[in-house]
Amino acid sequence: GADTSLDSVLLIPGEVITVTGEQSGNWTTAFQYWVEDTVTVPEGETLTIDAGVRVKFLPGAGMVCHGTLQANGTEDEHVLFTSKQPTPLPGDWDNIELYGENNIISYVDYEYATDGFSGDGASGSTFDHLTMVGSLSLSANGIYLTNSSDMTFTNNHISVAGEYGIFSENSPNSVVTYQQH
């Protein structure tokens, strides 16, 4: 048969996938994730988000983790949690709540939410190179966790209008170093 010449196609990284309900497993850069409502990570499960993944929340949507959240950004490829709106505004989406242990939040950019990370019983979690600057609602705290021991907070850049950059009550054996506020 005759040779066929196909036009070259520019592939935009991250085909869109809309997510809802319970989530666990691995989110990769094969997709851009649009969160339609509040998704949950079930107890005993882990949601792992690879470096470079963009997660965009529709109005009012959020994430509630009864299991473990691992957002594994790297220095070169951050994980992004942001608004899905074409013209994002503070408070476009809800927030991320952590009620499970041993979460890893590494090289994460967190924008336009109503609040920062909140939760309870998130012992053993690590927040490293979290950037949360200026785009959250006026009542937003950065990280507000209770009853969470053995926490590690390193190299985070948090600038919020709410009362607390990092609030971690009843949190023995926790380490906080090199924060920028």
Side-chain angles (χ1 to χ4, degrees):
D3 287 343
T4 304
S5 174
L6 297 176
D7 290 339
S8 59
V9 176
L10 177 64
L11 291 176
I12 305 297
E15 184 182 342
V16 168
I17 185 170
T18 55
V19 291
T20 182
E22 294 191 342
Q23 295 291 320
S24 61
N26 192 199
W27 288 5
T28 72
T29 52
F31 298 100
Q32 183 181 119
Y33 295 84
W34 290 3
V35 180
E36 288 198 316
D37 56 14
T38 295
V39 296
T40 57
V41 178
E43 192 171 347
E45 304 277 321
T46 298
L47 174 61
T48 302
I49 303 179
D50 289 353
V53 170
R54 287 168 160 59
V55 181
K56 297 190 174 185
F57 292 85
L58 277 71
M63 182 181 286
V64 177
C65 304
H66 296 286
T68 300
L69 176 63
Q70 296 192 343
N72 296 324
T74 63
E75 188 171 359
D76 293 334
E77 292 189 279
H78 294 193
V79 169
L80 175 65
F81 293 117
T82 191
S83 165
K84 164 65 187 64
Q85 298 298 88
T87 308
L89 293 169
D92 274 353
W93 59 284
D94 190 18
N95 79 320
I96 297 178
E97 300 174 38
L98 303 174
Y99 301 103
E101 299 189 344
N102 303 318
N103 302 283
I104 297 172
I105 309 299
S106 180
Y107 288 99
V108 166
D109 297 337
Y110 188 106
E111 308 172 331
Y112 301 110
T114 300
D115 205 354
F117 286 91
S118 62
D120 183 81
S123 297
S125 298
T126 299
F127 289 82
D128 180 63
H129 287 93
L130 167 65
T131 301
M132 193 183 282
V133 180
S135 64
L136 277 66
S137 78
L138 292 179
S139 61
N141 294 307
I143 301 170
Y144 192 100
L145 298 171
T146 51
N147 301 305
S148 303
S149 64
D150 302 289
M151 304 290 288
T152 306
F153 302 98
T154 49
N155 306 301
N156 299 301
H157 188 176
I158 297 172
S159 176
V160 290
E163 202 169 342
Y164 300 101
I166 297 176
F167 177 93
S168 192
E169 183 183 65
N170 191 10
S171 302
N173 306 317
S174 296
V175 179
V176 180
T177 52
Y178 304 110
Q179 312 306 315
Q180 298 176 12
H181 297 286

